[in-house]
Structure formats: C-alpha cells, structure tokens
Amino acid sequence: MGTTTIHFPIEKTTQSRLSQTNFDQLEFGAVNSDHMFVADYVNGEWTSMKIIPFQSISVSPACSALHYAQMVFEGMKAYRASNGDLLVFRPEKHLERINNSNRRMCMPELPSSFFFEAIDQLVHLDQDWIPRKEGCSLYLRPFIFATDPYIGVKPSATYKFIIFTCPVAGYYKGTVNVVVESKFVRAAEGGVGEAKTGGNYAASLLPAKLAADKGYHQILWTDSKEHEFFEESGTMNLMFVINDTLITPPLGGSILPGITRDCILTIARDWGVKVEERKIGIKEIVNAYQNGSLQDAFGTGTAATITHIAKIHHNGADYTLPASEDRVLSNKLNQYLLDIKHGVAEDKFGWVHRINL
Ligand code: COI
C-alpha cells in the first residue's frame, strides 16, 4: 500500500487500561484503547507523526474547528482472524473517502505514506484490545480538524490528524423502529451530506431526539425538496427488498457513500441478486407493504454493519416488517460480510488488509 512509507516514533504507555475493560459489555465508543496516532499540518505539510499513549489534547479557545466545524472523520474496523492474523477492512477505501471529505471541507489531503503505516502500527500495538467475539471489532476513528487559533471565517492553515481506537460491539443493540422525517433534513443537494463531517451529525441530533421522545430509535431521512424520497436512516445508508430486488437510494451529493453500502451492493450483484440504485419513496413502500411485496428494510454502516428496521412510522401509521430472523437475503449478506472481515470466507474482492510488520 502506498509508495514511500514514513516511519515515526512510538511511545508506549506504562499504564495500560486493558485489564480494567469488560469485553463482555462493550458500549459503542465508550472505551478507548491505550494509544493514539497524531500528526500536525503546518506550513503546507504533514509533520510530527507519532504514536503516543491515549491522552487529552489542548487547543486554543479560538480553535477554528470549535467555531466553524472545519473537520472530517472516518470510522473503520480491525479484526483478529482465528489464526491470529490482524485484519483491517478496506483501509484504501476509507482513505479515498476521507480525502473526498477533505476536499469538500477545504482541508489538506492525507497521504498514503503515513496513513496506512499509522493504522498498521496502532492496531499492532493495541492488538490485545481487539474483541474476540464475532461481530465485535476494534473501531478506528481517524479525524482531522482545523487548529488555527483564529475566529475569522476562512480555511485554517493548520490542522491536527488523530487516530484513536475503541473495542466495540454493534452500534445498535437490535432492530430499530424508525419514523419518516417530513420537517427536518439531514442534508440538501449542494451541501455537505456526502462528506463525513461533524455538522451532518450535529444537525441530526434534534430530529433524532424528537423521534426518540415519540418512542422511535431513529429517523428515515427524506429529500430536502419534497420530503418524499428516502435518503438515509439515522447514521446509516438505507436498503429495501421488494419482490426479491435490493433497492437503495442513489448517491447524489446529499448521501454518504457508505463503504458497507458498497460491500452489500457488490456482494449482492456478485450473487446475481437484482440490485437497483434509484429513488424510492414513502408511497412505494406503503404500496409494497399493502400488497405484501415489502420483504425487508435495513440500514448499513461501518458501525452498524447491517441493522434491520422493525417498524416504519409515517403519518400516524406503523408499518411492521417481517421478523428480522426471517429476512433471508440481508441475513445471508450480513453473515458473508462478517466472514470476509474475520478472515473466514475467501477475500474474493480484495477488501481485507493483513498487517504484516
Ligand atoms: C460509522 O458507521 O462508522 C459512523 O461513522 C457512524 C457513526 C456516527 C457512529
């Protein structure tokens, strides 16, 4: 991966928190492993790369990311295969996406020269933090934020890049009940919906809270013009199965190009499943529900993997989907993807990176 690799110093912790961590009760994002990678962007170049013990950082109160949200992040996962190999899932695709986000947010790109080395060294160093249970993983959170101590609105000249990691189970604890959103939007065409940037998630908090107040786990986001066509669900891409056809909204600028979304579409096509990336809206779903052809609805994401939607609420009506264990296609896709990630199934698409230090 990459051409010239940049090597950097590694300072190991003298106080590991590993033994205090309960791997049987992992809450997504609640525990951080022992180390983190840090680099700074100064004078037009990335510099000062290092791995250090996980620790707080200090920034100026005028730090521009705190005011104008010039930041991007990624979420990726590492696994341990049964033969002990350390596996990272699709790091190249995550680098591609973080750099697409960087361009949209007017931020410097990350070079492959230290991105992959940072991941390899960090996962290797904190390998004992990788949970062993199937479906669990070490979640890597790379992020970059603007650090200029300046509150004029302009692209920062300086940035910090950090990767920290967390042992995680699934993001959602089971199926989700969702409500179709017809007032707020997650993102509009021409906005930053396809960039993985914090503001998209901040904007979702109030609508998600209002949905939670009504007893729903998450939102089915609709388009910004008519509130008719679906975009995403909560923090996930969205898929339906109608009449054995897998249907997902097309990427068009406002939807995050999910890496799990890409995996599911790739595998389904490889299996000969009919796949459609096209607009799909509430009228079609209600119609399919009523004529009995709506077989499945689920979200996809790195954190969530595949999360089944149990119930969709719209205009005072609840549409209850088949029991999640009966959804043949999505369960098969989920298991196969897990098997690839854990090194059980052959890596026929070349998605798995084996750390070899
Ligand atoms: C991911 O799926 O990795 C995400 O970034 C969602 C996140 C907000 C937990």
Side-chain angles (χ1 to χ4, degrees):
M1 275 191 276
T3 42
T4 333
T5 299
I6 296 179
H7 297 280
F8 43 77
I10 296 177
E11 182 198 335
K12 291 187 189 171
T13 185
T14 52
Q15 291 178 317
S16 172
R17 287 170 285 102
L18 188 60
S19 62
Q20 301 151 28
T21 304
N22 182 353
F23 280 78
D24 291 325
Q25 281 186 340
L26 291 172
E27 189 191 331
F28 183 92
V31 177
N32 309 115
S33 53
D34 280 331
H35 298 89
M36 65 190 204
F37 173 85
V38 186
D40 291 311
Y41 186 83
V42 184
N43 295 328
E45 61 179 9
W46 287 105
T47 176
S48 312
M49 299 87 179
K50 58 189 174 203
I51 286 178
I52 54 176
F54 182 88
Q55 58 195 260
S56 299
I57 52 171
S58 98
V59 291
S60 160
C63 171
S64 56
L66 296 181
H67 299 268
Y68 308 123
Q70 199 193 8
M71 72 81 63
V72 306
F73 71 96
E74 268 302 317
M76 53 199 287
K77 283 181 169 174
Y79 302 83
R80 187 190 281 282
S82 56
N83 67 359
D85 282 359
L86 301 174
L87 313 176
V88 184
F89 193 64
R90 303 196 75 176
E92 299 93 344
K93 197 77 181 157
H94 285 280
L95 178 62
E96 183 186 310
R97 188 170 68 178
I98 205 168
N99 279 333
N100 288 337
S101 300
N102 279 330
R103 281 189 289 276
R104 178 61 183 88
M105 299 304 289
C106 212
M107 294 166 62
E109 290 188 28
L110 281 174
S112 57
S113 53
F114 67 81
F115 182 79
F116 298 125
E117 182 70 5
I119 289 167
D120 283 9
Q121 294 288 356
L122 197 54
V123 173
H124 189 263
L125 188 58
D126 279 342
Q127 57 182 274
D128 291 341
W129 286 86
I130 303 177
R132 302 293 170 126
K133 249 201 238 160
E134 192 187 60
C136 296
S137 58
L138 189 68
Y139 184 82
L140 280 67
R141 174 49 65 90
F143 67 110
I144 311 172
F145 62 99
T147 52
D148 276 4
Y150 172 71
I151 55 165
V153 180
K154 72 174 182 69
S156 182
T158 60
Y159 297 86
K160 196 173 271 299
F161 172 53
I162 297 179
I163 310 176
F164 65 83
T165 71
C166 322
V168 297
Y171 189 73
Y172 295 102
K173 293 208 163 52
T175 58
V176 289
N177 298 332
V178 298
V179 57
V180 176
E181 181 59 62
S182 52
K183 177 177 175 197
F184 299 101
V185 293
R186 177 189 168 276
E189 267 175 48
V192 294
E194 68 182 346
K196 205 157 173 60
T197 185
N200 288 325
Y201 297 80
S204 76
L205 296 177
L206 175 63
K209 180 185 177 303
L210 297 175
D213 290 347
K214 290 190 211 139
Y216 293 89
H217 298 101
Q218 266 302 346
I219 283 173
L220 274 197
W221 298 105
T222 50
D223 71 280
S224 61
K225 288 186 184 142
E226 304 162 85
H227 285 298
E228 168 61 24
F229 295 104
F230 295 123
E231 299 250 305
E232 298 190 16
S233 178
T235 61
M236 305 179 286
N237 291 114
L238 177 63
M239 306 211 174
F240 297 96
V241 181
I242 299 178
N243 270 335
D244 296 327
T245 299
L246 182 64
I247 306 168
T248 193
L251 302 177
S254 57
I255 293 179
L256 185 81
I259 290 165
T260 308
R261 175 188 185 278
D262 178 73
C263 294
I264 294 299
L265 298 183
T266 303
I267 297 169
R269 286 185 172 117
D270 187 60
W271 287 353
V273 174
K274 192 168 173 216
V275 172
E276 293 177 357
E277 290 181 72
R278 63 163 173 83
K279 288 188 174 191
I280 178 162
I282 186 65
K283 289 194 189 94
E284 182 176 347
I285 290 304
V286 171
N287 191 38
Y289 178 84
Q290 283 164 350
N291 69 27
S293 59
L294 178 62
Q295 295 157 301
D296 203 345
F298 58 96
T300 65
T302 297
T305 316
I306 282 185
T307 296
H308 288 116
I309 293 173
K311 205 187 279 179
I312 299 175
H313 180 86
H314 177 62
N315 264 354
D318 273 333
Y319 301 94
T320 303
L321 282 106
S324 64
E325 56 276 16
D326 296 338
R327 305 197 202 170
V328 179
L329 177 63
S330 54
N331 284 321
K332 216 171 123 198
L333 286 163
N334 195 25
Q335 188 59 51
Y336 182 59
L337 187 54
L338 271 176
D339 286 348
I340 294 178
K341 290 174 170 179
H342 285 270
V344 174
E346 181 206 346
D347 179 26
K348 71 179 281 192
F349 305 104
W351 288 337
V352 176
H353 166 63
R354 273 192 161 67
I355 297 179
N356 186 11
L357 292 177

